[in-house]
Coordinates of all heavy atoms in Angstrom, one line a residue:
M1 N 16.4 -27.8 -15.9 CA 17.6 -28.4 -15.3 C 17.6 -28.2 -13.8 O 17.4 -27.1 -13.3 CB 18.9 -27.7 -15.9 CG 20.1 -28.3 -15.5 SD 21.5 -27.7 -16.5 CE 22.7 -27.3 -15.3
T2 N 17.8 -29.2 -13.1 CA 17.8 -29.2 -11.6 C 19.2 -28.9 -11.1 O 20.2 -29.6 -11.5 CB 17.3 -30.5 -11.0 OG1 16.0 -30.7 -11.6 CG2 17.2 -30.4 -9.5
E3 N 19.3 -28.0 -10.2 CA 20.6 -27.6 -9.6 C 20.9 -28.7 -8.5 O 20.1 -29.0 -7.7 CB 20.5 -26.2 -9.0 CG 21.8 -25.8 -8.4 CD 21.7 -24.3 -7.8 OE1 20.6 -24.0 -7.2 OE2 22.6 -23.6 -8.1
T4 N 22.2 -29.2 -8.5 CA 22.6 -30.1 -7.5 C 23.2 -29.3 -6.3 O 24.0 -28.4 -6.5 CB 23.7 -31.0 -8.0 OG1 23.2 -31.7 -9.2 CG2 24.2 -32.0 -7.0
L5 N 22.7 -29.6 -5.1 CA 23.2 -28.9 -3.9 C 24.1 -29.8 -3.1 O 23.9 -31.0 -3.1 CB 22.0 -28.5 -3.1 CG 21.0 -27.5 -3.7 CD1 19.8 -27.2 -2.7 CD2 21.7 -26.2 -4.0
T6 N 25.1 -29.2 -2.5 CA 25.9 -29.9 -1.5 C 25.5 -29.4 -0.1 O 25.1 -28.3 0.1 CB 27.4 -29.5 -1.8 OG1 27.7 -29.8 -3.2 CG2 28.4 -30.2 -0.9
Y7 N 25.7 -30.3 0.8 CA 25.2 -30.1 2.2 C 26.4 -30.1 3.2 O 27.3 -30.9 3.0 CB 24.1 -31.1 2.6 CG 22.9 -30.9 1.8 CD1 22.8 -31.6 0.6 CD2 21.9 -30.1 2.2 CE1 21.6 -31.5 -0.2 CE2 20.7 -30.0 1.4 CZ 20.6 -30.7 0.2 OH 19.5 -30.6 -0.5
Q8 N 26.3 -29.3 4.2 CA 27.2 -29.4 5.4 C 26.3 -29.3 6.6 O 25.3 -28.7 6.6 CB 28.2 -28.3 5.4 CG 29.3 -28.5 4.3 CD 30.4 -27.5 4.4 OE1 30.3 -26.5 5.2 NE2 31.4 -27.7 3.6
T9 N 26.8 -30.0 7.7 CA 26.1 -29.9 9.0 C 27.1 -29.3 10.0 O 28.2 -29.7 10.1 CB 25.7 -31.4 9.4 OG1 24.9 -31.9 8.4 CG2 25.0 -31.3 10.7
G10 N 26.5 -28.4 10.8 CA 27.3 -27.7 11.9 C 26.6 -28.0 13.2 O 25.4 -28.1 13.3
T11 N 27.4 -28.2 14.2 CA 26.9 -28.4 15.6 C 27.5 -27.4 16.6 O 28.6 -27.0 16.4 CB 27.1 -29.8 16.1 OG1 28.5 -30.1 16.0 CG2 26.4 -30.8 15.2
F12 N 26.7 -27.1 17.6 CA 27.1 -26.2 18.6 C 26.5 -26.7 19.9 O 25.3 -26.8 20.0 CB 26.6 -24.7 18.3 CG 26.8 -23.7 19.4 CD1 27.9 -23.7 20.3 CD2 25.9 -22.7 19.6 CE1 28.1 -22.8 21.3 CE2 26.0 -21.8 20.6 CZ 27.2 -21.8 21.4
T13 N 27.4 -27.1 20.9 CA 26.9 -27.6 22.1 C 26.7 -26.4 23.1 O 27.6 -25.7 23.3 CB 27.9 -28.6 22.7 OG1 28.1 -29.7 21.8 CG2 27.4 -29.1 24.1
T14 N 25.5 -26.3 23.5 CA 25.1 -25.2 24.4 C 23.8 -25.5 25.2 O 22.9 -26.2 24.7 CB 24.8 -23.9 23.5 OG1 24.3 -22.8 24.4 CG2 23.8 -24.1 22.4
D15 N 23.7 -25.0 26.4 CA 22.4 -25.2 27.1 C 21.3 -24.3 26.6 O 20.2 -24.4 27.1 CB 22.7 -24.8 28.6 CG 23.6 -25.8 29.3 OD1 23.7 -26.9 28.9 OD2 24.2 -25.3 30.3
H16 N 21.6 -23.5 25.6 CA 20.6 -22.6 25.1 C 20.2 -22.8 23.6 O 19.9 -21.9 22.9 CB 21.1 -21.1 25.2 CG 21.5 -20.8 26.6 ND1 20.6 -20.6 27.6 CD2 22.7 -20.6 27.2 CE1 21.2 -20.4 28.8 NE2 22.5 -20.4 28.5
A17 N 20.3 -24.1 23.2 CA 20.0 -24.5 21.8 C 18.7 -23.9 21.3 O 18.6 -23.3 20.2 CB 20.1 -26.0 21.6
S18 N 17.6 -24.2 22.0 CA 16.3 -23.7 21.5 C 16.2 -22.2 21.5 O 15.6 -21.6 20.5 CB 15.2 -24.3 22.5 OG 13.9 -23.8 22.0
K19 N 16.8 -21.6 22.5 CA 16.8 -20.1 22.5 C 17.5 -19.5 21.3 O 16.9 -18.6 20.6 CB 17.5 -19.6 23.8 CG 17.7 -18.1 23.8 CD 18.5 -17.7 25.0 CE 19.0 -16.3 24.9 NZ 19.9 -15.9 26.1
Y20 N 18.6 -20.1 20.9 CA 19.4 -19.5 19.8 C 18.7 -19.9 18.5 O 18.6 -19.1 17.5 CB 20.8 -20.1 19.8 CG 21.6 -19.6 20.9 CD1 22.6 -20.4 21.5 CD2 21.5 -18.3 21.4 CE1 23.3 -20.0 22.6 CE2 22.3 -17.8 22.5 CZ 23.2 -18.7 23.1 OH 23.9 -18.2 24.1
L21 N 18.1 -21.1 18.4 CA 17.3 -21.4 17.2 C 16.2 -20.4 17.0 O 16.0 -19.9 15.8 CB 16.7 -22.8 17.3 CG 15.8 -23.3 16.2 CD1 16.0 -24.9 16.1 CD2 14.4 -23.0 16.4
Q22 N 15.5 -20.1 18.0 CA 14.4 -19.1 17.9 C 14.9 -17.7 17.6 O 14.2 -17.0 16.8 CB 13.5 -19.2 19.1 CG 12.8 -20.5 19.3 CD 12.0 -20.6 20.6 OE1 11.0 -19.9 20.7 NE2 12.5 -21.4 21.5
Q23 N 16.0 -17.3 18.2 CA 16.5 -16.0 17.9 C 16.9 -15.9 16.4 O 16.6 -14.9 15.8 CB 17.7 -15.7 18.8 CG 17.4 -15.2 20.2 CD 18.7 -14.9 21.0 OE1 19.5 -15.7 21.3 NE2 18.8 -13.6 21.3
L24 N 17.6 -16.9 15.9 CA 18.0 -16.9 14.5 C 16.8 -16.8 13.6 O 16.8 -15.9 12.7 CB 18.8 -18.1 14.2 CG 20.2 -18.2 14.7 CD1 20.8 -19.6 14.6 CD2 21.1 -17.3 14.0
C25 N 15.8 -17.5 13.9 CA 14.6 -17.6 13.0 C 13.8 -16.2 13.1 O 13.4 -15.7 12.1 CB 13.7 -18.7 13.4 SG 14.5 -20.3 13.0
K26 N 13.7 -15.7 14.3 CA 13.0 -14.4 14.4 C 13.7 -13.3 13.6 O 13.1 -12.5 13.0 CB 12.8 -14.0 15.9 CG 11.8 -14.8 16.6 CD 11.7 -14.5 18.1 CE 10.8 -15.4 18.8 NZ 10.8 -15.2 20.2
H27 N 15.1 -13.4 13.7 CA 15.9 -12.4 13.0 C 15.8 -12.5 11.5 O 15.6 -11.6 10.8 CB 17.3 -12.5 13.5 CG 18.3 -11.6 12.8 ND1 18.3 -10.2 13.2 CD2 19.1 -11.8 11.8 CE1 19.2 -9.6 12.4 NE2 19.7 -10.5 11.5
F28 N 15.9 -13.8 11.0 CA 15.9 -14.0 9.6 C 14.5 -13.8 9.0 O 14.4 -13.5 7.8 CB 16.4 -15.4 9.3 CG 17.9 -15.6 9.5 CD1 18.4 -16.8 10.0 CD2 18.8 -14.7 9.3 CE1 19.7 -17.1 10.3 CE2 20.2 -14.8 9.5 CZ 20.6 -16.1 10.0
A29 N 13.5 -14.0 9.8 CA 12.1 -13.9 9.2 C 11.8 -12.5 8.7 O 10.9 -12.4 7.9 CB 11.1 -14.3 10.3
H30 N 12.6 -11.5 9.0 CA 12.4 -10.2 8.5 C 12.8 -10.1 7.0 O 12.5 -9.2 6.3 CB 13.1 -9.1 9.3 CG 12.6 -9.0 10.7 ND1 11.4 -8.4 11.1 CD2 13.1 -9.5 11.9 CE1 11.2 -8.5 12.4 NE2 12.3 -9.1 12.9
K31 N 13.7 -11.1 6.6 CA 14.3 -11.0 5.3 C 14.0 -12.2 4.4 O 14.0 -12.1 3.2 CB 15.8 -10.8 5.4 CG 16.2 -9.5 6.0 CD 17.7 -9.3 6.1 CE 18.0 -8.0 6.7 NZ 19.4 -7.7 6.7
I32 N 13.8 -13.4 5.0 CA 13.6 -14.6 4.2 C 12.5 -15.4 4.8 O 12.0 -15.2 5.9 CB 14.9 -15.5 4.2 CG1 15.3 -15.9 5.6 CG2 16.1 -14.7 3.5 CD1 16.4 -16.9 5.7
E33 N 12.0 -16.4 4.0 CA 11.0 -17.3 4.5 C 11.5 -18.2 5.5 O 12.6 -18.9 5.3 CB 10.4 -18.1 3.3 CG 9.3 -19.0 3.6 CD 8.8 -19.7 2.4 OE1 8.8 -19.2 1.3 OE2 8.3 -20.9 2.6
V34 N 10.8 -18.3 6.7 CA 11.3 -19.1 7.8 C 10.0 -19.8 8.4 O 9.0 -19.1 8.6 CB 11.9 -18.2 8.9 CG1 12.3 -19.1 10.1 CG2 13.2 -17.6 8.3
E35 N 10.2 -21.1 8.7 CA 9.1 -21.8 9.5 C 9.9 -22.4 10.7 O 10.9 -23.0 10.5 CB 8.5 -22.9 8.7 CG 7.8 -22.5 7.5 CD 7.3 -23.7 6.7 OE1 7.1 -24.8 7.2 OE2 7.1 -23.5 5.5
Y36 N 9.3 -22.2 11.9 CA 10.0 -22.8 13.1 C 9.1 -23.0 14.2 O 8.0 -22.4 14.3 CB 11.2 -21.9 13.5 CG 10.8 -20.6 14.1 CD1 10.8 -20.4 15.5 CD2 10.4 -19.5 13.3 CE1 10.4 -19.2 16.1 CE2 10.1 -18.3 13.9 CZ 10.1 -18.1 15.3 OH 9.7 -16.9 15.8
D37 N 9.6 -23.8 15.1 CA 9.0 -24.0 16.5 C 10.2 -24.1 17.4 O 11.3 -23.9 17.0 CB 8.1 -25.3 16.5 CG 8.8 -26.6 16.2 OD1 10.0 -26.8 16.6 OD2 8.2 -27.4 15.5
P38 N 10.0 -24.3 18.7 CA 11.2 -24.3 19.6 C 12.2 -25.4 19.4 O 13.4 -25.2 19.8 CB 10.5 -24.6 21.0 CG 9.1 -24.0 20.8 CD 8.7 -24.4 19.4
S39 N 12.0 -26.4 18.6 CA 13.0 -27.4 18.4 C 13.4 -27.6 16.9 O 14.4 -28.4 16.7 CB 12.5 -28.8 18.9 OG 11.3 -29.2 18.2
S40 N 12.8 -27.0 16.0 CA 13.2 -27.2 14.6 C 12.8 -26.0 13.7 O 11.9 -25.2 14.1 CB 12.5 -28.5 14.0 OG 11.1 -28.3 13.9
A41 N 13.6 -25.9 12.6 CA 13.3 -24.7 11.7 C 13.7 -25.1 10.3 O 14.6 -25.9 10.1 CB 14.1 -23.5 12.2
R42 N 13.1 -24.4 9.4 CA 13.4 -24.5 8.0 C 13.5 -23.0 7.5 O 12.7 -22.2 7.8 CB 12.3 -25.2 7.2 CG 12.2 -26.6 7.5 CD 11.1 -27.3 6.9 NE 10.7 -26.7 5.6 CZ 10.3 -27.3 4.5 NH1 10.1 -28.6 4.6 NH2 10.0 -26.7 3.4
M43 N 14.6 -22.7 6.8 CA 14.9 -21.4 6.3 C 15.3 -21.4 4.9 O 16.0 -22.3 4.4 CB 16.0 -20.7 7.1 CG 15.8 -20.7 8.6 SD 17.1 -19.9 9.5 CE 18.5 -21.0 9.2
A44 N 14.9 -20.4 4.1 CA 15.2 -20.2 2.7 C 16.4 -19.3 2.6 O 16.2 -18.1 2.2 CB 14.0 -19.8 1.9
L45 N 17.6 -19.7 3.0 CA 18.8 -18.9 2.9 C 19.0 -18.6 1.4 O 18.7 -19.4 0.5 CB 20.0 -19.5 3.5 CG 20.1 -19.7 5.0 CD1 21.4 -20.4 5.4 CD2 19.9 -18.4 5.7
P46 N 19.7 -17.4 1.1 CA 19.9 -17.1 -0.3 C 20.8 -18.2 -1.0 O 20.8 -18.3 -2.2 CB 20.7 -15.8 -0.2 CG 20.6 -15.3 1.1 CD 20.1 -16.4 2.0
T47 N 21.6 -18.9 -0.2 CA 22.5 -20.0 -0.8 C 21.8 -21.3 -1.1 O 22.3 -22.1 -1.8 CB 23.6 -20.2 0.2 OG1 23.0 -20.6 1.5 CG2 24.5 -19.0 0.4
G48 N 20.6 -21.5 -0.4 CA 19.9 -22.7 -0.5 C 19.2 -23.0 0.8 O 19.4 -22.4 1.8
P49 N 18.3 -24.0 0.8 CA 17.6 -24.3 2.0 C 18.5 -24.7 3.2 O 19.5 -25.3 3.0 CB 16.7 -25.5 1.6 CG 16.7 -25.6 0.1 CD 18.0 -24.9 -0.3
A50 N 18.0 -24.4 4.4 CA 18.7 -24.7 5.6 C 17.7 -25.2 6.6 O 16.6 -24.8 6.6 CB 19.5 -23.5 6.1
T51 N 18.2 -26.1 7.5 CA 17.4 -26.5 8.6 C 18.2 -26.4 9.9 O 19.4 -26.4 9.9 CB 16.9 -28.0 8.5 OG1 18.1 -28.8 8.4 CG2 16.0 -28.2 7.2
L52 N 17.4 -26.1 11.0 CA 18.0 -26.1 12.3 C 17.3 -27.0 13.2 O 16.1 -27.2 13.1 CB 17.9 -24.7 12.9 CG 18.6 -23.5 12.2 CD1 18.2 -22.2 12.9 CD2 20.1 -23.7 12.3
A53 N 18.0 -27.6 14.2 CA 17.4 -28.5 15.2 C 18.0 -28.2 16.5 O 19.2 -28.1 16.6 CB 17.5 -30.0 14.8
A54 N 17.1 -28.1 17.5 CA 17.6 -27.9 18.9 C 17.2 -29.2 19.7 O 16.0 -29.5 19.8 CB 17.0 -26.7 19.6
D55 N 18.2 -29.9 20.1 CA 18.0 -31.2 20.8 C 18.8 -31.2 22.1 O 20.0 -31.4 22.1 CB 18.4 -32.4 19.9 CG 18.1 -33.7 20.5 OD1 17.2 -33.8 21.4 OD2 18.7 -34.7 20.0
G56 N 18.1 -30.9 23.2 CA 18.8 -30.8 24.5 C 19.8 -29.7 24.5 O 19.5 -28.6 24.3
D57 N 21.1 -30.2 24.6 CA 22.2 -29.2 24.6 C 22.9 -29.0 23.3 O 24.1 -28.7 23.3 CB 23.2 -29.5 25.7 CG 23.9 -30.8 25.5 OD1 23.6 -31.6 24.5 OD2 24.9 -31.1 26.2
R58 N 22.3 -29.4 22.2 CA 22.9 -29.3 20.9 C 22.1 -28.6 19.9 O 20.9 -28.9 19.7 CB 23.2 -30.7 20.4 CG 23.9 -30.7 19.0 CD 24.2 -32.1 18.6 NE 25.1 -32.7 19.6 CZ 26.2 -33.3 19.4 NH1 26.6 -33.4 18.2 NH2 26.9 -33.8 20.4
L59 N 22.7 -27.6 19.2 CA 22.1 -26.9 18.1 C 22.7 -27.4 16.8 O 24.0 -27.4 16.8 CB 22.2 -25.4 18.2 CG 21.7 -24.5 17.1 CD1 20.2 -24.7 16.9 CD2 22.0 -23.1 17.3
T60 N 22.0 -27.9 15.9 CA 22.5 -28.4 14.7 C 21.9 -27.6 13.5 O 20.7 -27.4 13.5 CB 22.1 -29.9 14.5 OG1 22.6 -30.6 15.6 CG2 22.7 -30.5 13.2
A61 N 22.8 -27.3 12.6 CA 22.4 -26.6 11.3 C 22.8 -27.4 10.2 O 23.9 -28.0 10.1 CB 23.0 -25.2 11.3
R62 N 21.9 -27.6 9.2 CA 22.2 -28.3 7.9 C 22.0 -27.3 6.8 O 20.9 -26.8 6.6 CB 21.3 -29.5 7.7 CG 21.7 -30.3 6.5 CD 20.9 -31.6 6.5 NE 21.4 -32.5 5.4 CZ 20.7 -32.8 4.3 NH1 19.6 -32.2 4.1 NH2 21.3 -33.6 3.4
I63 N 23.1 -26.9 6.2 CA 23.0 -25.9 5.1 C 23.2 -26.5 3.8 O 23.7 -27.6 3.7 CB 24.1 -24.8 5.4 CG1 25.5 -25.4 5.4 CG2 23.8 -24.0 6.7 CD1 26.6 -24.4 5.5
S64 N 22.9 -25.8 2.7 CA 23.1 -26.3 1.4 C 23.6 -25.1 0.5 O 23.4 -24.0 0.8 CB 21.8 -26.9 0.8 OG 20.8 -25.8 0.7
G65 N 24.2 -25.6 -0.6 CA 24.7 -24.6 -1.6 C 25.1 -25.3 -2.8 O 25.4 -26.5 -2.9
A66 N 25.1 -24.5 -3.9 CA 25.5 -25.1 -5.2 C 27.0 -25.4 -5.4 O 27.4 -26.2 -6.2 CB 25.0 -24.2 -6.3
D67 N 27.8 -24.7 -4.6 CA 29.2 -24.8 -4.7 C 29.9 -24.4 -3.4 O 29.2 -24.1 -2.4 CB 29.8 -24.0 -5.9 CG 29.4 -22.6 -5.8 OD1 29.2 -22.0 -4.7 OD2 29.3 -21.9 -6.9
D68 N 31.2 -24.5 -3.3 CA 31.9 -24.2 -2.1 C 31.7 -22.8 -1.6 O 31.6 -22.5 -0.5 CB 33.4 -24.5 -2.2 CG 33.8 -26.0 -2.3 OD1 32.9 -26.8 -1.8 OD2 34.9 -26.3 -2.7
A69 N 31.7 -21.9 -2.6 CA 31.4 -20.5 -2.3 C 30.1 -20.3 -1.6 O 30.0 -19.5 -0.6 CB 31.5 -19.6 -3.5
A70 N 29.1 -20.9 -2.1 CA 27.7 -20.8 -1.5 C 27.7 -21.4 0.0 O 27.1 -20.9 0.9 CB 26.7 -21.5 -2.3
L71 N 28.4 -22.5 0.1 CA 28.5 -23.1 1.5 C 29.3 -22.2 2.4 O 28.9 -22.1 3.6 CB 29.2 -24.5 1.4 CG 28.3 -25.6 0.8 CD1 29.2 -26.9 0.6 CD2 27.1 -25.9 1.6
D72 N 30.4 -21.6 1.9 CA 31.1 -20.6 2.7 C 30.2 -19.5 3.2 O 30.2 -19.1 4.4 CB 32.3 -20.1 2.0 CG 33.5 -21.0 1.8 OD1 33.5 -22.1 2.5 OD2 34.3 -20.7 0.9
R73 N 29.4 -19.0 2.3 CA 28.5 -17.9 2.6 C 27.4 -18.3 3.6 O 27.2 -17.6 4.6 CB 27.8 -17.4 1.3 CG 27.0 -16.2 1.6 CD 26.5 -15.5 0.3 NE 25.7 -14.4 0.6 CZ 24.5 -14.1 0.0 NH1 24.2 -14.9 -1.0 NH2 23.8 -13.1 0.3
A74 N 26.9 -19.5 3.4 CA 25.9 -20.0 4.4 C 26.5 -20.2 5.8 O 25.9 -19.8 6.8 CB 25.3 -21.3 3.9
R75 N 27.7 -20.8 5.8 CA 28.4 -21.0 7.1 C 28.6 -19.6 7.8 O 28.3 -19.4 9.0 CB 29.7 -21.7 7.0 CG 29.7 -23.1 6.8 CD 31.0 -23.8 7.0 NE 32.1 -23.2 6.2 CZ 32.4 -23.6 4.9 NH1 31.8 -24.5 4.3 NH2 33.4 -22.9 4.3
H76 N 29.0 -18.6 7.0 CA 29.3 -17.3 7.5 C 28.0 -16.7 8.1 O 28.0 -16.1 9.1 CB 29.9 -16.4 6.4 CG 30.0 -15.0 6.9 ND1 31.1 -14.6 7.8 CD2 29.3 -13.9 6.6 CE1 30.9 -13.3 8.0 NE2 29.9 -12.8 7.3
I77 N 26.9 -16.8 7.3 CA 25.6 -16.3 7.8 C 25.2 -16.8 9.1 O 24.9 -16.1 10.1 CB 24.5 -16.6 6.7 CG1 24.7 -15.8 5.5 CG2 23.1 -16.3 7.3 CD1 23.8 -16.2 4.3
I78 N 25.3 -18.2 9.3 CA 24.9 -18.8 10.6 C 25.9 -18.4 11.7 O 25.5 -18.0 12.7 CB 24.8 -20.3 10.4 CG1 23.8 -20.8 9.4 CG2 24.5 -21.0 11.8 CD1 22.3 -20.5 9.7
D79 N 27.2 -18.6 11.4 CA 28.2 -18.3 12.4 C 28.2 -16.9 12.9 O 28.3 -16.6 14.0 CB 29.6 -18.7 11.9 CG 29.8 -20.2 11.9 OD1 29.0 -21.0 12.6 OD2 30.7 -20.7 11.2
D80 N 28.1 -16.0 11.9 CA 28.1 -14.5 12.2 C 27.0 -14.1 13.1 O 27.2 -13.4 14.1 CB 28.1 -13.7 10.9 CG 28.3 -12.2 11.2 OD1 29.4 -11.9 11.8 OD2 27.5 -11.4 10.8
H81 N 25.8 -14.6 12.9 CA 24.7 -14.3 13.7 C 24.7 -15.0 15.1 O 24.4 -14.3 16.1 CB 23.3 -14.6 13.0 CG 23.0 -13.7 11.9 ND1 23.6 -13.8 10.6 CD2 22.3 -12.6 11.9 CE1 23.1 -12.8 9.9 NE2 22.3 -12.0 10.6
L82 N 25.2 -16.2 15.1 CA 25.4 -16.8 16.4 C 26.4 -16.2 17.3 O 26.3 -16.1 18.5 CB 25.7 -18.3 16.2 CG 24.5 -19.3 16.0 CD1 25.0 -20.7 15.7 CD2 23.6 -19.3 17.2
K83 N 27.5 -15.6 16.6 CA 28.5 -14.8 17.4 C 27.8 -13.7 18.2 O 28.2 -13.4 19.3 CB 29.5 -14.2 16.5 CG 30.6 -15.2 16.1 CD 31.6 -14.5 15.2 CE 32.5 -15.5 14.6 NZ 33.5 -14.9 13.7
R84 N 26.8 -13.1 17.6 CA 26.1 -12.0 18.3 C 25.2 -12.5 19.4 O 25.2 -12.0 20.5 CB 25.3 -11.2 17.3 CG 26.1 -10.4 16.3 CD 25.2 -9.6 15.4 NE 25.6 -9.9 14.0 CZ 25.0 -9.6 13.0 NH1 23.8 -9.0 13.1 NH2 25.4 -9.8 11.8
F85 N 24.5 -13.6 19.1 CA 23.5 -14.1 20.0 C 24.2 -14.9 21.2 O 23.7 -14.9 22.3 CB 22.5 -15.0 19.3 CG 21.7 -14.3 18.3 CD1 21.3 -14.9 17.1 CD2 21.3 -13.0 18.4 CE1 20.6 -14.3 16.1 CE2 20.6 -12.3 17.4 CZ 20.2 -13.0 16.3
A86 N 25.3 -15.6 20.9 CA 25.9 -16.4 21.9 C 27.3 -15.8 22.4 O 28.2 -16.5 22.8 CB 26.2 -17.8 21.3
H87 N 27.4 -14.5 22.4 CA 28.6 -13.9 22.7 C 29.0 -14.2 24.2 O 30.2 -14.2 24.5 CB 28.6 -12.3 22.5 CG 27.6 -11.6 23.3 ND1 27.9 -11.1 24.5 CD2 26.2 -11.4 23.1 CE1 26.8 -10.6 25.1 NE2 25.8 -10.7 24.2
R88 N 28.1 -14.4 25.0 CA 28.4 -14.7 26.4 C 29.1 -16.1 26.6 O 29.7 -16.4 27.6 CB 27.2 -14.7 27.3 CG 26.7 -13.2 27.5 CD 25.4 -13.2 28.4 NE 24.9 -11.9 28.5 CZ 24.0 -11.4 27.7 NH1 23.5 -12.1 26.7 NH2 23.5 -10.2 27.9
E89 N 28.9 -16.9 25.5 CA 29.6 -18.2 25.6 C 30.9 -18.2 24.7 O 31.4 -19.3 24.5 CB 28.6 -19.3 25.0 CG 27.3 -19.4 25.8 CD 26.5 -20.5 25.3 OE1 27.0 -21.7 25.1 OE2 25.3 -20.3 25.2
N90 N 31.3 -17.1 24.3 CA 32.5 -16.9 23.5 C 32.4 -17.8 22.2 O 33.4 -18.4 21.8 CB 33.8 -17.3 24.3 CG 34.0 -16.3 25.5 OD1 33.9 -15.1 25.3 ND2 34.2 -16.8 26.6
F91 N 31.3 -17.8 21.6 CA 31.1 -18.6 20.4 C 31.9 -18.0 19.3 O 32.0 -16.8 19.1 CB 29.6 -18.6 20.0 CG 29.3 -19.2 18.7 CD1 29.1 -20.6 18.7 CD2 29.3 -18.5 17.5 CE1 28.8 -21.2 17.5 CE2 29.0 -19.1 16.3 CZ 28.8 -20.5 16.3
E92 N 32.6 -18.9 18.6 CA 33.3 -18.5 17.4 C 32.8 -19.1 16.1 O 32.6 -18.3 15.1 CB 34.8 -18.9 17.5 CG 35.6 -18.1 18.5 CD 35.6 -16.6 18.2 OE1 35.9 -16.3 17.0 OE2 35.5 -15.8 19.1
A93 N 32.5 -20.4 16.1 CA 31.9 -21.0 14.9 C 31.4 -22.4 15.2 O 31.9 -23.0 16.2 CB 33.0 -21.1 13.8
M94 N 30.4 -22.8 14.5 CA 29.9 -24.2 14.6 C 31.0 -25.1 14.2 O 31.9 -24.8 13.4 CB 28.7 -24.4 13.8 CG 27.4 -23.7 14.3 SD 25.9 -24.2 13.5 CE 25.0 -24.8 14.8
D95 N 30.9 -26.4 14.6 CA 31.8 -27.4 14.1 C 31.2 -28.0 12.8 O 30.2 -28.8 12.9 CB 31.9 -28.5 15.2 CG 32.8 -29.7 14.8 OD1 33.6 -29.5 13.9 OD2 32.7 -30.7 15.4
W96 N 31.7 -27.6 11.7 CA 31.1 -27.9 10.4 C 31.7 -29.1 9.8 O 33.0 -29.3 9.8 CB 31.3 -26.7 9.4 CG 30.5 -25.5 9.8 CD1 31.0 -24.4 10.4 CD2 29.1 -25.3 9.6 NE1 29.9 -23.5 10.6 CE2 28.8 -24.0 10.1 CE3 28.1 -26.1 9.0 CZ2 27.5 -23.5 10.1 CZ3 26.8 -25.6 9.0 CH2 26.5 -24.3 9.5
K97 N 30.9 -30.0 9.2 CA 31.4 -31.2 8.5 C 30.5 -31.4 7.3 O 29.3 -31.1 7.2 CB 31.2 -32.4 9.4 CG 32.0 -32.3 10.7 CD 32.1 -33.6 11.4 CE 32.8 -33.6 12.7 NZ 33.8 -32.6 13.0
A98 N 31.1 -32.1 6.3 CA 30.4 -32.4 5.1 C 29.3 -33.4 5.4 O 29.4 -34.2 6.3 CB 31.3 -33.1 4.0
A99 N 28.1 -33.2 4.8 CA 27.0 -34.1 5.2 C 26.9 -35.3 4.2 O 27.3 -35.2 3.1 CB 25.7 -33.3 5.1

């Protein structure tokens, strides 16, 4: 039986999109499978696959989960880590939307 995943996309406008993408990936690589370069990434979050893209001044995350609780957890994982890395920009949360 194949699990159906739901997706959400988050965006963060910043001059440091590539820097934050790489910081997130280097941090997560200690615990999960991660593939990345300066402009894109694929991560095996515990909630489901996620991708990141750095395009100019925009960092975009596409997360997946089996249900709302999984999506909440995935959003929290991304937002919580970005709060640490982007604290100088007073980052609170990505702008999340259903994909």
Side-chain angles (χ1 to χ4, degrees):
M1 186 168 133
T2 304
E3 183 177 44
T4 302
L5 296 176
T6 303
Y7 296 88
Q8 288 187 352
T9 302
T11 57
F12 172 36
T13 302
T14 174
D15 290 335
H16 306 289
S18 178
K19 173 186 165 183
Y20 295 143
L21 178 148
Q22 293 177 71
Q23 279 184 294
L24 286 167
C25 291
K26 288 175 185 176
H27 178 78
F28 290 143
H30 296 286
K31 297 182 179 184
I32 61 172
E33 184 179 327
V34 175
E35 296 176 24
Y36 70 97
D37 61 36
S39 63
S40 64
R42 294 172 30 144
M43 302 182 296
L45 291 180
T47 57
T51 59
L52 297 174
D55 184 20
D57 67 349
R58 180 177 302 232
L59 178 62
T60 304
R62 185 171 190 252
I63 57 171
S64 63
D67 54 29
D68 287 342
L71 289 172
D72 287 346
R73 185 168 177 224
R75 281 193 312 268
H76 176 75
I77 289 168
I78 300 293
D79 286 342
D80 187 56
H81 286 82
L82 276 174
K83 279 182 189 178
R84 293 183 229 166
F85 300 142
H87 64 90
R88 288 181 185 91
E89 296 186 50
N90 297 314
F91 175 85
E92 287 299 319
M94 290 190 121
D95 180 19
W96 293 101
K97 298 192 183 337

